Amino acid sequence: MNWKRNILTDSGGFQMVSLLNLAEITEEGVKFKSPYDGSECMLTPEESIHIQNKIGADIIMQLDDVVSSTTTGDRVVEAMERTIRWLDRCIAAHKHPERQSLFPIVQGGLNAELRQRCAEELIKRNTPGFAIGGLSGGEAKEDFWKMVSISTEILPKGKPRYLMGVGFSEDLVVCSALGCDMYDCVFPTRTARFGTALLFTGQITLKHKKFAQDYSPVDETCHCSTCTTYSRAYIHSIATQETVACHLLSIHNIAFQMRLMAKIRDSIKNGIFPEFVQEFMLGMYPTKNYPQWSLNALSSVGIQLI
Amino acid sequence: MVFNLGSQAIQISIDTTYTFHENVKPSGYTISKFVGFPKIPSFLTIHNPLRELLPGFNDRSGISVWTRMGRRTLDISKFIQIVNDFQPTFFQVLSDYDVSVSSSVKRIRKSTSRNLEYLNEVIQKIDSSARSAFGTIEVSWFLVSPFDAEIALTHMLEKQHDFNGFILNGVKTSGKINPINISNIIAKLPENKPRFTPGEFKLWEIMDLVRSGVDLFDSSVVTRVSEEGQVFSLQLEKLNHSKATATPVLPSNESIPAKSNQINGDFSSDNENFSAAQLVLNLREKQYFGDFSPISTTCNCYTCRKYTRAYLHHLLCTSELLGPVLLMMHNLDQFEKFFQAVRQRLPDEQKFAELYEYLKSSDATQLPISVIGNTSTEVKNDDSPVRRNAARITNQKLSTIEGD
């Protein structure tokens, strides 16, 4: 790939949710069926770790039993308990603990007690970091932040917490306030392919007619190659029509994500993180109609918005 | 910018950019600036040269272009408006392309008279000091009715001081170039005005056309090769036997483990099996699965400096967008090198022939022909077989030659 920086690989667990119709989950592992030719492929914790060992990423993820965040009842308990057993199998199968960090994933749906139990068990295994999974599906934001908060409360403060599947700019800021360190999300690039650019003032859908003769850059404050070369009018002309539009907006949206995270880090280092959050949220909600869940979440860690 | 366009111009076609022109105008930008290349000259043509055009859709109201909104008709005033809005450096004068070896004489006459009419309008209405017009000659005129063709050509030549170049369209008939046609036509054209043959030609066919007097070509073949997952590996440096290198020592490919890195200059240590048949490689082939060498050890392009055949093979097999992008960058670079070699060898007939034979003898430059057409369901009442077939041809997404 000619990528000289760090790489993180996922275990294939998420596909248990996204490809649920093609998956058969047992104690042994997950059996996926190809929609193209019907062939089957068995993914066990051992196999997942074996593949991740071969790829050689710096951080690798356990294979967990993932359920959709809108699932309730016994299945959630089963998944949480199995995740712990699969973690032990992953640890046993891991050939390179000295150069690849294996992260376990906290599960438990939207049940505080299950999440607590799960986190406590995972901590016992003394791994280099932790992930918080099973969220960022279709659940209510009010439930979402509470589950994140429970996890960050319990997980050791000296080890990274990786919140999987997050996300939107606002979520990144709020969850950083709640104590998360790392994130992944398909959102910035996926939304780019559909013609939407991310800004500190929210999103703009460049396909919209109102940008047809807007000759300013996508984001005035951005120095990425897209914003320094092209106008909104041009991107409007090609969005969803030419593949290059996907590239141009992906470049910008990723640059935006990097800038956002840099601002979060720098403000934390400089001791002005709450001020940054206030400024950021005001930029997103100039009329101060902040979402209730954000207000609640930020308030829980002592940040009030202006 | 990782890609250096050097001495090239970008080709923009009206069919793909039809919806743009009203939005470009208020900015005052040229089309070059609008698409992100403010300093690069632009050549505005009517159609994307890779698009197969359907017969039967031109008439008194104008010339058909297939835009993303469907078929549209360009009359001369709309055409002139588009040219004025885009401010291209060079442009093709509107032309009735709907002629072939099987056209009737009546159809030929319609085409010639329209082309002359359009040329006259453009000369009157567009300031030639601001931008250069290229008049279009349809080769098929000469094949069907030399009489009418000669008259048309004579009229064009009378006006030659009012426009700046010639486009020879329809050079390939039944998939082949007939050099006699081209040379005879070109012999009548003034020496000092460039000649452009748009469309997809194999590299040795380009050299045939150069011999006949053609100056300008577009990069259609590069797009086609890249879309097929193929790459040029022309190894022209080896052909030139230049060990003393005009090209500096290449930086090693960044993604190859240090031990097995190749450095330019010492061809004897090349583990690549050099043979004429390997001038075009299909990177989709299984053999490249574990091939950790760059496409070409003598190429300095971004792709060859950064990536291996194995990685490119992977990108193509998983249909990643990055695959075709990297292939295009490499293939355009090879194409430019090819033209440098052609220009260099032009004064020496023997050297020119050497390159020609080298390219022609490689069977691998015979590209598969896939038909790219239109699902235009606008079928006229005359339900001829040609139109029924046209409606069945699958529409494929074409990449434009904008150099992005």
Tab-separated table of all heavy atoms in Angstrom, chain B residues 342-392:
chain	number	residue	atom	x	y	z
B	342	VAL	N	8.864	9.815	-30.706
B	342	VAL	CA	8.448	10.052	-32.099
B	342	VAL	C	9.049	11.353	-32.614
B	342	VAL	O	9.627	11.405	-33.701
B	342	VAL	CB	6.909	10.083	-32.215
B	342	VAL	CG1	6.483	10.601	-33.585
B	342	VAL	CG2	6.334	8.694	-31.978
B	343	ARG	N	8.934	12.411	-31.799
B	343	ARG	CA	9.472	13.713	-32.223
B	343	ARG	C	10.971	13.627	-32.443
B	343	ARG	O	11.524	14.152	-33.406
B	343	ARG	CB	9.151	14.780	-31.177
B	343	ARG	CG	7.692	15.236	-31.171
B	343	ARG	CD	7.508	16.506	-30.339
B	343	ARG	NE	7.718	16.294	-28.924
B	343	ARG	CZ	6.764	15.948	-28.052
B	343	ARG	NH1	5.526	15.761	-28.482
B	343	ARG	NH2	7.034	15.790	-26.781
B	344	GLN	N	11.628	12.917	-31.533
B	344	GLN	CA	13.088	12.793	-31.596
B	344	GLN	C	13.518	12.060	-32.866
B	344	GLN	O	14.548	12.376	-33.466
B	344	GLN	CB	13.546	11.971	-30.402
B	344	GLN	CG	14.687	12.516	-29.609
B	344	GLN	CD	14.814	11.716	-28.308
B	344	GLN	OE1	14.544	10.510	-28.274
B	344	GLN	NE2	15.206	12.386	-27.259
B	345	ARG	N	12.769	11.040	-33.240
B	345	ARG	CA	13.163	10.178	-34.356
B	345	ARG	C	12.671	10.652	-35.708
B	345	ARG	O	13.055	10.108	-36.744
B	345	ARG	CB	12.624	8.763	-34.102
B	345	ARG	CG	13.378	8.054	-33.014
B	345	ARG	CD	12.599	6.839	-32.484
B	345	ARG	NE	13.337	6.198	-31.416
B	345	ARG	CZ	14.139	5.146	-31.587
B	345	ARG	NH1	14.279	4.610	-32.783
B	345	ARG	NH2	14.799	4.630	-30.566
B	346	LEU	N	11.806	11.659	-35.695
B	346	LEU	CA	11.198	12.126	-36.948
B	346	LEU	C	12.206	12.487	-38.039
B	346	LEU	O	12.027	12.119	-39.196
B	346	LEU	CB	10.287	13.314	-36.630
B	346	LEU	CG	9.049	13.557	-37.487
B	346	LEU	CD1	8.302	12.282	-37.783
B	346	LEU	CD2	8.129	14.532	-36.770
B	347	PRO	N	13.288	13.198	-37.719
B	347	PRO	CA	14.213	13.608	-38.778
B	347	PRO	C	14.977	12.437	-39.402
B	347	PRO	O	15.523	12.572	-40.487
B	347	PRO	CB	15.191	14.537	-38.064
B	347	PRO	CG	14.613	14.835	-36.736
B	347	PRO	CD	13.696	13.720	-36.395
B	348	ASP	N	15.015	11.286	-38.721
B	348	ASP	CA	15.826	10.163	-39.199
B	348	ASP	C	14.916	8.989	-39.558
B	348	ASP	O	14.404	8.297	-38.690
B	348	ASP	CB	16.814	9.765	-38.088
B	348	ASP	CG	17.758	8.657	-38.521
B	348	ASP	OD1	17.429	7.906	-39.468
B	348	ASP	OD2	18.833	8.549	-37.907
B	349	GLU	N	14.750	8.760	-40.854
B	349	GLU	CA	13.801	7.751	-41.319
B	349	GLU	C	14.080	6.368	-40.731
B	349	GLU	O	13.174	5.613	-40.396
B	349	GLU	CB	13.832	7.696	-42.857
B	349	GLU	CG	12.903	6.652	-43.482
B	349	GLU	CD	11.444	6.783	-43.059
B	349	GLU	OE1	10.918	7.917	-43.066
B	349	GLU	OE2	10.832	5.758	-42.690
B	350	GLN	N	15.337	6.040	-40.567
B	350	GLN	CA	15.708	4.722	-40.068
B	350	GLN	C	15.309	4.552	-38.595
B	350	GLN	O	14.770	3.532	-38.193
B	350	GLN	CB	17.220	4.555	-40.219
B	350	GLN	CG	17.657	3.114	-40.348
B	350	GLN	CD	19.162	3.026	-40.586
B	350	GLN	OE1	19.894	4.011	-40.525
B	350	GLN	NE2	19.638	1.832	-40.861
B	351	LYS	N	15.593	5.587	-37.833
B	351	LYS	CA	15.243	5.521	-36.407
B	351	LYS	C	13.729	5.507	-36.236
B	351	LYS	O	13.208	4.842	-35.343
B	351	LYS	CB	15.829	6.724	-35.659
B	351	LYS	CG	17.340	6.797	-35.713
B	351	LYS	CD	17.904	7.453	-34.457
B	351	LYS	CE	18.688	6.436	-33.676
B	351	LYS	NZ	18.507	6.363	-32.290
B	352	PHE	N	13.062	6.272	-37.081
B	352	PHE	CA	11.600	6.313	-37.025
B	352	PHE	C	11.042	4.928	-37.318
B	352	PHE	O	10.184	4.416	-36.598
B	352	PHE	CB	11.084	7.335	-38.052
B	352	PHE	CG	9.633	7.678	-37.915
B	352	PHE	CD1	9.224	8.685	-37.057
B	352	PHE	CD2	8.660	6.995	-38.639
B	352	PHE	CE1	7.877	9.009	-36.925
B	352	PHE	CE2	7.309	7.308	-38.515
B	352	PHE	CZ	6.919	8.326	-37.660
B	353	ALA	N	11.582	4.286	-38.350
B	353	ALA	CA	11.129	2.941	-38.728
B	353	ALA	C	11.428	1.932	-37.633
B	353	ALA	O	10.665	0.991	-37.404
B	353	ALA	CB	11.791	2.525	-40.038
B	354	GLU	N	12.560	2.124	-36.948
B	354	GLU	CA	12.928	1.204	-35.871
B	354	GLU	C	11.844	1.192	-34.785
B	354	GLU	O	11.410	0.131	-34.337
B	354	GLU	CB	14.272	1.640	-35.267
B	354	GLU	CG	14.779	0.677	-34.197
B	354	GLU	CD	15.942	1.267	-33.376
B	354	GLU	OE1	16.120	2.501	-33.361
B	354	GLU	OE2	16.659	0.480	-32.737
B	355	LEU	N	11.433	2.374	-34.371
B	355	LEU	CA	10.388	2.468	-33.343
B	355	LEU	C	9.078	1.882	-33.864
B	355	LEU	O	8.378	1.159	-33.158
B	355	LEU	CB	10.197	3.928	-32.918
B	355	LEU	CG	9.121	4.192	-31.855
B	355	LEU	CD1	9.414	3.458	-30.563
B	355	LEU	CD2	8.969	5.696	-31.594
B	356	TYR	N	8.781	2.188	-35.103
B	356	TYR	CA	7.550	1.699	-35.725
B	356	TYR	C	7.497	0.180	-35.719
B	356	TYR	O	6.513	-0.434	-35.289
B	356	TYR	CB	7.456	2.248	-37.147
B	356	TYR	CG	6.216	1.828	-37.899
B	356	TYR	CD1	4.998	2.453	-37.658
B	356	TYR	CD2	6.261	0.808	-38.859
B	356	TYR	CE1	3.847	2.078	-38.341
B	356	TYR	CE2	5.120	0.435	-39.548
B	356	TYR	CZ	3.919	1.072	-39.289
B	356	TYR	OH	2.791	0.691	-39.971
B	357	GLU	N	8.568	-0.457	-36.157
B	357	GLU	CA	8.612	-1.922	-36.209
B	357	GLU	C	8.539	-2.520	-34.812
B	357	GLU	O	7.875	-3.524	-34.577
B	357	GLU	CB	9.891	-2.406	-36.916
B	357	GLU	CG	9.910	-2.148	-38.409
B	357	GLU	CD	8.648	-2.666	-39.108
B	357	GLU	OE1	8.139	-3.749	-38.729
B	357	GLU	OE2	8.156	-1.970	-40.009
B	358	TYR	N	9.230	-1.888	-33.893
B	358	TYR	CA	9.258	-2.327	-32.493
B	358	TYR	C	7.841	-2.371	-31.920
B	358	TYR	O	7.445	-3.330	-31.274
B	358	TYR	CB	10.141	-1.352	-31.717
B	358	TYR	CG	10.200	-1.540	-30.226
B	358	TYR	CD1	10.878	-2.618	-29.658
B	358	TYR	CD2	9.620	-0.601	-29.378
B	358	TYR	CE1	10.956	-2.757	-28.278
B	358	TYR	CE2	9.685	-0.740	-28.001
B	358	TYR	CZ	10.365	-1.814	-27.461
B	358	TYR	OH	10.438	-1.945	-26.094
B	359	LEU	N	7.071	-1.328	-32.215
B	359	LEU	CA	5.709	-1.268	-31.683
B	359	LEU	C	4.767	-2.183	-32.447
B	359	LEU	O	3.929	-2.859	-31.869
B	359	LEU	CB	5.180	0.174	-31.733
B	359	LEU	CG	5.903	1.169	-30.832
B	359	LEU	CD1	5.460	2.593	-31.145
B	359	LEU	CD2	5.657	0.851	-29.369
B	360	LYS	N	4.909	-2.211	-33.757
B	360	LYS	CA	3.964	-2.969	-34.570
B	360	LYS	C	4.138	-4.465	-34.368
B	360	LYS	O	3.162	-5.221	-34.371
B	360	LYS	CB	4.141	-2.618	-36.055
B	360	LYS	CG	3.037	-3.218	-36.907
B	360	LYS	CD	2.999	-2.628	-38.301
B	360	LYS	CE	1.773	-3.177	-39.034
B	360	LYS	NZ	1.730	-2.766	-40.429
B	361	SER	N	5.375	-4.886	-34.157
B	361	SER	CA	5.626	-6.323	-34.051
B	361	SER	C	5.071	-6.893	-32.753
B	361	SER	O	4.895	-8.087	-32.617
B	361	SER	CB	7.122	-6.602	-34.120
B	361	SER	OG	7.760	-6.014	-32.997
B	362	SER	N	4.764	-6.007	-31.800
B	362	SER	CA	4.213	-6.514	-30.542
B	362	SER	C	2.728	-6.787	-30.705
B	362	SER	O	1.934	-5.884	-30.868
B	362	SER	CB	4.426	-5.498	-29.427
B	362	SER	OG	3.572	-5.799	-28.354
B	363	ASP	N	2.387	-8.037	-30.621
B	363	ASP	CA	0.977	-8.411	-30.764
B	363	ASP	C	0.129	-7.809	-29.662
B	363	ASP	O	-1.056	-7.631	-29.794
B	363	ASP	CB	0.879	-9.943	-30.691
B	363	ASP	CG	0.117	-10.463	-31.864
B	363	ASP	OD1	0.096	-9.788	-32.909
B	363	ASP	OD2	-0.469	-11.541	-31.749
B	364	ALA	N	0.797	-7.540	-28.538
B	364	ALA	CA	0.057	-7.087	-27.367
B	364	ALA	C	-0.547	-5.706	-27.537
B	364	ALA	O	-1.382	-5.288	-26.765
B	364	ALA	CB	0.965	-7.095	-26.138
B	365	THR	N	-0.116	-4.962	-28.561
B	365	THR	CA	-0.753	-3.665	-28.745
B	365	THR	C	-2.054	-3.786	-29.521
B	365	THR	O	-2.692	-2.813	-29.847
B	365	THR	CB	0.158	-2.636	-29.455
B	365	THR	OG1	0.516	-3.171	-30.725
B	365	THR	CG2	1.404	-2.361	-28.652
B	366	GLN	N	-2.431	-5.052	-29.866
B	366	GLN	CA	-3.762	-5.238	-30.444
B	366	GLN	C	-4.746	-5.258	-29.288
B	366	GLN	O	-4.773	-6.184	-28.510
B	366	GLN	CB	-3.838	-6.590	-31.189
B	366	GLN	CG	-2.658	-6.880	-32.099
B	366	GLN	CD	-2.544	-5.881	-33.223
B	366	GLN	OE1	-3.545	-5.437	-33.747
B	366	GLN	NE2	-1.328	-5.538	-33.596
B	367	LEU	N	-5.508	-4.211	-29.133
B	367	LEU	CA	-6.408	-4.127	-27.992
B	367	LEU	C	-7.745	-4.775	-28.309
B	367	LEU	O	-8.189	-4.738	-29.441
B	367	LEU	CB	-6.641	-2.668	-27.624
B	367	LEU	CG	-5.394	-1.956	-27.112
B	367	LEU	CD1	-5.633	-0.467	-27.086
B	367	LEU	CD2	-5.026	-2.462	-25.745
B	368	PRO	N	-8.362	-5.347	-27.294
B	368	PRO	CA	-9.708	-5.872	-27.532
B	368	PRO	C	-10.649	-4.729	-27.848
B	368	PRO	O	-10.503	-3.651	-27.300
B	368	PRO	CB	-10.096	-6.506	-26.192
B	368	PRO	CG	-9.241	-5.824	-25.191
B	368	PRO	CD	-7.978	-5.431	-25.890
B	369	ILE	N	-11.553	-4.965	-28.728
B	369	ILE	CA	-12.495	-3.897	-29.090
B	369	ILE	C	-13.777	-4.117	-28.324
B	369	ILE	O	-14.421	-5.135	-28.457
B	369	ILE	CB	-12.828	-3.936	-30.602
B	369	ILE	CG1	-11.565	-4.122	-31.414
B	369	ILE	CG2	-13.630	-2.729	-30.999
B	369	ILE	CD1	-11.153	-2.985	-32.252
B	370	SER	N	-14.137	-3.174	-27.476
B	370	SER	CA	-15.461	-3.267	-26.854
B	370	SER	C	-16.269	-2.087	-27.342
B	370	SER	O	-15.767	-0.985	-27.474
B	370	SER	CB	-15.344	-3.281	-25.336
B	370	SER	OG	-14.469	-2.292	-24.901
B	371	VAL	N	-17.496	-2.349	-27.628
B	371	VAL	CA	-18.317	-1.278	-28.196
B	371	VAL	C	-18.924	-0.446	-27.082
B	371	VAL	O	-19.569	-0.961	-26.186
B	371	VAL	CB	-19.443	-1.872	-29.058
B	371	VAL	CG1	-20.346	-0.767	-29.586
B	371	VAL	CG2	-18.857	-2.651	-30.218
B	372	ILE	N	-18.696	0.832	-27.144
B	372	ILE	CA	-19.301	1.726	-26.164
B	372	ILE	C	-20.326	2.549	-26.893
B	372	ILE	O	-20.012	3.266	-27.830
B	372	ILE	CB	-18.242	2.651	-25.530
B	372	ILE	CG1	-17.215	1.799	-24.806
B	372	ILE	CG2	-18.889	3.627	-24.584
B	372	ILE	CD1	-16.102	2.572	-24.183
B	373	GLY	N	-21.562	2.432	-26.516
B	373	GLY	CA	-22.598	3.134	-27.275
B	373	GLY	C	-23.596	3.804	-26.378
B	373	GLY	O	-23.294	4.202	-25.273
B	374	ASN	N	-24.786	3.894	-26.848
B	374	ASN	CA	-25.788	4.730	-26.223
B	374	ASN	C	-27.100	3.998	-26.069
B	374	ASN	O	-27.473	3.227	-26.929
B	374	ASN	CB	-26.041	5.917	-27.121
B	374	ASN	CG	-25.795	7.189	-26.361
B	374	ASN	OD1	-26.486	7.448	-25.397
B	374	ASN	ND2	-24.830	7.929	-26.792
B	375	THR	N	-27.776	4.244	-24.965
B	375	THR	CA	-29.109	3.640	-24.898
B	375	THR	C	-30.156	4.667	-25.267
B	375	THR	O	-31.258	4.659	-24.759
B	375	THR	CB	-29.429	3.153	-23.473
B	375	THR	OG1	-29.042	4.174	-22.566
B	375	THR	CG2	-28.746	1.853	-23.178
B	376	SER	N	-29.788	5.597	-26.120
B	376	SER	CA	-30.773	6.595	-26.513
B	376	SER	C	-32.001	5.878	-27.053
B	376	SER	O	-31.921	5.112	-27.994
B	376	SER	CB	-30.191	7.499	-27.594
B	376	SER	OG	-31.202	8.312	-28.119
B	377	THR	N	-33.102	6.070	-26.387
B	377	THR	CA	-34.295	5.356	-26.854
B	377	THR	C	-35.079	6.196	-27.839
B	377	THR	O	-36.170	5.870	-28.249
B	377	THR	CB	-35.215	5.009	-25.667
B	377	THR	OG1	-35.405	6.193	-24.901
B	377	THR	CG2	-34.609	3.924	-24.804
B	378	GLU	N	-34.475	7.329	-28.214
B	378	GLU	CA	-35.157	8.153	-29.210
B	378	GLU	C	-34.978	7.529	-30.576
B	378	GLU	O	-34.000	7.762	-31.253
B	378	GLU	CB	-34.531	9.541	-29.233
B	378	GLU	CG	-35.366	10.565	-28.536
B	378	GLU	CD	-34.799	11.946	-28.756
B	378	GLU	OE1	-35.103	12.542	-29.795
B	378	GLU	OE2	-34.024	12.370	-27.907
B	379	VAL	N	-35.875	6.691	-30.973
B	379	VAL	CA	-35.775	6.020	-32.262
B	379	VAL	C	-36.762	6.671	-33.205
B	379	VAL	O	-37.922	6.849	-32.876
B	379	VAL	CB	-36.102	4.520	-32.099
B	379	VAL	CG1	-36.025	3.815	-33.424
B	379	VAL	CG2	-35.161	3.879	-31.093
B	380	LYS	N	-36.272	7.029	-34.360
B	380	LYS	CA	-37.193	7.664	-35.305
B	380	LYS	C	-38.113	6.605	-35.896
B	380	LYS	O	-37.906	5.421	-35.741
B	380	LYS	CB	-36.391	8.371	-36.399
B	380	LYS	CG	-35.616	9.554	-35.832
B	380	LYS	CD	-35.090	10.438	-36.929
B	380	LYS	CE	-34.417	11.658	-36.307
B	380	LYS	NZ	-33.634	12.403	-37.274
B	381	ASN	N	-39.125	7.069	-36.593
B	381	ASN	CA	-40.135	6.150	-37.119
B	381	ASN	C	-39.556	5.089	-38.030
B	381	ASN	O	-40.010	3.965	-38.078
B	381	ASN	CB	-41.217	6.934	-37.875
B	381	ASN	CG	-42.108	7.685	-36.896
B	381	ASN	OD1	-42.238	7.283	-35.757
B	381	ASN	ND2	-42.702	8.766	-37.352
B	382	ASP	N	-38.506	5.471	-38.752
B	382	ASP	CA	-37.865	4.522	-39.649
B	382	ASP	C	-37.136	3.487	-38.792
B	382	ASP	O	-36.066	3.737	-38.260
B	382	ASP	CB	-36.886	5.297	-40.559
B	382	ASP	CG	-35.984	4.379	-41.344
B	382	ASP	OD1	-36.250	3.149	-41.360
B	382	ASP	OD2	-35.034	4.871	-41.934
B	383	ASP	N	-37.724	2.341	-38.648
B	383	ASP	CA	-37.249	1.352	-37.686
B	383	ASP	C	-36.162	0.464	-38.280
B	383	ASP	O	-36.285	-0.744	-38.342
B	383	ASP	CB	-38.463	0.521	-37.243
B	383	ASP	CG	-38.156	-0.307	-36.003
B	383	ASP	OD1	-37.244	0.082	-35.267
B	383	ASP	OD2	-38.829	-1.329	-35.812
B	384	SER	N	-35.067	1.095	-38.684
B	384	SER	CA	-34.035	0.330	-39.388
B	384	SER	C	-33.234	-0.540	-38.433
B	384	SER	O	-33.173	-0.271	-37.249
B	384	SER	CB	-33.089	1.296	-40.104
B	384	SER	OG	-32.202	1.846	-39.150
B	385	PRO	N	-32.576	-1.583	-38.903
B	385	PRO	CA	-31.817	-2.504	-38.059
B	385	PRO	C	-30.713	-1.785	-37.295
B	385	PRO	O	-30.436	-2.102	-36.163
B	385	PRO	CB	-31.208	-3.530	-39.036
B	385	PRO	CG	-31.939	-3.354	-40.307
B	385	PRO	CD	-32.609	-2.044	-40.314
B	386	VAL	N	-30.101	-0.788	-37.932
B	386	VAL	CA	-29.008	-0.083	-37.262
B	386	VAL	C	-29.499	0.530	-35.963
B	386	VAL	O	-28.882	0.428	-34.922
B	386	VAL	CB	-28.410	1.017	-38.174
B	386	VAL	CG1	-27.453	1.894	-37.386
B	386	VAL	CG2	-27.698	0.385	-39.343
B	387	ARG	N	-30.640	1.167	-36.014
B	387	ARG	CA	-31.150	1.819	-34.803
B	387	ARG	C	-31.600	0.816	-33.768
B	387	ARG	O	-31.452	1.022	-32.595
B	387	ARG	CB	-32.278	2.787	-35.137
B	387	ARG	CG	-31.731	4.190	-35.302
B	387	ARG	CD	-32.702	5.148	-35.924
B	387	ARG	NE	-32.070	5.755	-37.067
B	387	ARG	CZ	-32.572	5.727	-38.292
B	387	ARG	NH1	-33.705	5.107	-38.536
B	387	ARG	NH2	-31.931	6.304	-39.275
B	388	ARG	N	-32.160	-0.312	-34.197
B	388	ARG	CA	-32.562	-1.328	-33.209
B	388	ARG	C	-31.340	-1.849	-32.485
B	388	ARG	O	-31.352	-2.024	-31.285
B	388	ARG	CB	-33.307	-2.484	-33.893
B	388	ARG	CG	-34.734	-2.161	-34.225
B	388	ARG	CD	-35.550	-3.427	-34.349
B	388	ARG	NE	-35.048	-4.303	-35.412
B	388	ARG	CZ	-35.449	-4.263	-36.681
B	388	ARG	NH1	-36.365	-3.400	-37.056
B	388	ARG	NH2	-34.935	-5.069	-37.578
B	389	ASN	N	-30.239	-2.075	-33.227
B	389	ASN	CA	-29.019	-2.541	-32.581
B	389	ASN	C	-28.483	-1.492	-31.632
B	389	ASN	O	-28.021	-1.791	-30.552
B	389	ASN	CB	-27.952	-2.867	-33.633
B	389	ASN	CG	-28.282	-4.154	-34.355
B	389	ASN	OD1	-28.981	-4.997	-33.815
B	389	ASN	ND2	-27.809	-4.292	-35.566
B	390	ALA	N	-28.575	-0.236	-32.071
B	390	ALA	CA	-28.050	0.844	-31.237
B	390	ALA	C	-28.758	0.866	-29.891
B	390	ALA	O	-28.158	1.067	-28.863
B	390	ALA	CB	-28.213	2.182	-31.953
B	391	ALA	N	-30.053	0.637	-29.904
B	391	ALA	CA	-30.801	0.703	-28.649
B	391	ALA	C	-30.405	-0.418	-27.698
B	391	ALA	O	-30.569	-0.328	-26.516
B	391	ALA	CB	-32.301	0.650	-28.932
B	392	ARG	N	-29.838	-1.508	-28.236
B	392	ARG	CA	-29.475	-2.631	-27.372
B	392	ARG	C	-28.083	-2.504	-26.791
B	392	ARG	O	-27.741	-3.180	-25.865
B	392	ARG	CB	-29.574	-3.954	-28.132
B	392	ARG	CG	-30.942	-4.573	-28.112
B	392	ARG	CD	-30.840	-6.056	-28.427
B	392	ARG	NE	-30.406	-6.293	-29.798
B	392	ARG	CZ	-31.241	-6.378	-30.830
B	392	ARG	NH1	-32.537	-6.233	-30.647
B	392	ARG	NH2	-30.778	-6.595	-32.040
